[in-house]
Amino acid sequence: MVPPPQLWAGAAAAVFVVQSHCGMPAVPHGELAQWFAQRGLHERTLVSAGRAARESPRDPRPHFLAAIAHAGLGARREAAAALEHALRLDPDDARLYGALRALAAESGQEALALEALQRLEEARPGHWLLRLNLGWAYGAAGYREEALRRLQEVVESADSTAPRPARTFAHYELSRLYLDEDRTGDAARVLESGLGLDPDDPLLLLGAGESRLRAGEPERAHRHFARALDNADDMERTASSIAGIYYDSGLRELAIEYYEKAAGRSQPSPQVLNNLAWTYAEAGLRLDRAQELSLRAVKSDADNVVYLDTYAEVLFRRGRTDQAIALMRLCLQLEPEDGEHYEYLRGQLTRFEAAADSLL
């Protein structure tokens, strides 16, 4: 889960002090910008962050806060530019790279991050954190061979002064590329090397579990997953990730087990509810439970075609084909013809209508 922009402000310990014109106590423009950012007041954040940047031109934090505001206003390119400016001022702050990755993943515009990092590389070609994130960016933008080459070099020349989470992230990203090429042995080797740095890192444990599962070692995979869950800061996200790995491996009942763990929180996310409902429906299990879960997800966002599709699937499997058809027609009204889900949704409607015709 990518954190929403308003939560990024928590990573910035911005304290700025400027003097007022009338001799009153100092006015902290940076603190004010952070206060606005935490409350989603994006226009005011931009004003205060701009003032703080003028007062402290070498401080990256106002640009970080400006990025939060731009992202909140939907100005992704401006947000990426602000983060690029912050990284020019402090290329050693791993949190800034994390914010850039989050922005790219949230907006689906990984090319923006790649372009920014390429420009930064011209000024600091040998910087380890920069090289690491360029490796990630090349992979995210679809340049897999370049990503593999760069991440192999980064892992082999690990900077012992870099933050440990950044070093484990390098191992994880390289392992993902290996897994995507079905090089499970190479992935396991890299992940085990990363676990030597931090044996309790949940991300590495997830990757190690997946590599063992793909290698046909389910018991070892289960042990890695259990440790990942024990050490997770975000239990819902980690349990959902494990469930997704089992789902992709065709192990629906184990996927359900971990989605249920994620849904066991007091306020599970609609996405977890939806994924659990879909998995129950596909497995043909507990369709009453699936309908209850799916309806909760739909109520959280009644125009979300992904959630509506799941609800339609559950109704269809419960024999309520006419209701499923009506919902799918609604989905096609909500989804633009050039939308990413349109063809899939049209296929679902065709499937439901064919089933209804066969009953006539």
Side-chain angles (χ1 to χ4, degrees):
M1 165 187 311
V2 177
Q6 63 266 28
L7 296 184
W8 296 355
V15 179
F16 304 85
V17 179
V18 297
Q19 293 295 326
S20 68
H21 292 292
C22 55
M24 297 297 289
V27 179
H29 286 312
E31 285 185 354
L32 190 58
Q34 183 170 323
W35 190 89
F36 287 139
Q38 289 172 326
R39 287 154 181 79
L41 302 172
H42 306 307
E43 297 285 2
R44 294 186 179 186
T45 301
L46 285 175
V47 172
S48 293
R51 290 171 178 167
R54 288 191 292 274
E55 291 294 331
S56 303
R58 301 301 304 168
D59 194 327
R61 290 171 293 184
H63 304 286
F64 173 72
L65 294 170
I68 294 170
H70 283 306
L73 294 168
R76 307 300 183 188
R77 188 168 293 277
E78 290 81 358
L83 287 171
E84 180 181 348
H85 196 143
L87 281 164
R88 285 189 184 279
L89 295 171
D90 188 0
D92 296 321
D93 191 338
R95 296 169 302 176
L96 295 175
Y97 294 103
L100 184 61
R101 295 195 305 267
L103 172 69
E106 181 185 32
S107 62
Q109 298 183 41
E110 288 81 359
L112 284 179
L114 177 58
E115 292 165 7
L117 292 166
Q118 285 172 328
R119 288 189 292 269
L120 289 165
E121 186 184 33
E122 294 175 4
R124 293 177 175 268
H127 194 278
W128 190 85
L129 274 174
L130 179 53
R131 289 163 53 214
L132 161 60
N133 283 277
L134 259 170
W136 164 84
Y138 275 112
Y143 301 100
R144 305 192 61 79
E145 289 186 11
E146 182 66 11
L148 186 61
R149 181 184 70 81
R150 286 176 173 268
L151 286 170
Q152 285 172 334
E153 291 176 353
V154 163
V155 168
E156 289 169 3
S157 62
D159 181 357
S160 61
T161 66
R164 187 169 60 182
R167 288 182 281 154
T168 57
F169 178 70
H171 286 76
Y172 177 79
E173 284 299 303
L174 180 56
S175 76
R176 298 311 307 166
L177 293 175
Y178 284 143
L179 283 174
D180 288 345
E181 296 182 354
D182 291 324
R183 295 169 59 179
T184 54
D186 287 331
R189 173 181 54 79
V190 169
L191 288 162
E192 287 167 4
S193 174
L195 287 168
L197 297 171
D198 186 350
D200 294 323
D201 183 273
L203 197 61
L204 293 177
L205 289 166
L206 285 175
E210 182 175 0
S211 67
R212 292 303 177 189
L213 190 63
R214 289 199 192 184
E217 301 176 74
E219 290 301 322
R220 292 187 71 178
H222 175 74
R223 289 197 293 272
H224 284 308
F225 291 147
R227 282 178 58 199
L229 205 56
D230 286 343
N231 290 283
D233 293 327
D234 186 336
M235 192 279 289
E236 179 184 301
R237 181 179 179 182
T238 302
S240 294
S241 296
I242 296 169
I245 293 168
Y246 277 127
Y247 181 92
D248 291 341
S249 298
L251 301 170
R252 297 294 188 263
E253 292 190 10
L254 285 169
I256 287 170
E257 176 185 337
Y258 279 91
Y259 275 134
E260 283 285 9
K261 291 179 188 293
R265 297 174 65 253
S266 59
Q267 292 184 322
S269 69
Q271 185 176 8
V272 166
L273 298 174
N274 177 78
N275 290 350
L276 177 55
W278 178 266
T279 310
Y280 270 129
E282 271 201 329
L285 299 170
R286 297 191 62 187
L287 295 180
D288 54 342
R289 168 80 168 144
Q291 183 171 342
E292 180 262 327
L293 292 163
S294 182
L295 185 57
R296 286 166 62 189
V298 168
K299 285 181 177 179
S300 74
D301 186 354
D303 292 335
N304 188 313
V305 296
V306 174
Y307 298 166
L308 288 169
D309 169 57
T310 297
Y311 194 50
E313 182 71 25
V314 173
L315 292 174
F316 175 72
R317 288 175 180 263
R318 301 198 76 184
R320 300 176 185 176
T321 306
D322 290 343
Q323 290 176 270
I325 289 171
L327 271 178
M328 202 49 55
R329 288 175 177 163
L330 172 61
C331 287
L332 288 168
Q333 292 174 11
L334 294 170
E335 181 77 357
E337 289 190 17
D338 60 351
E340 66 172 310
H341 303 297
Y342 188 83
E343 290 302 322
Y344 163 78
L345 295 170
R346 191 168 66 173
Q348 284 284 80
L349 177 60
T350 301
R351 172 173 159 246
F352 295 164
E353 288 177 336
D357 291 342
S358 70
L359 296 175
L360 297 178

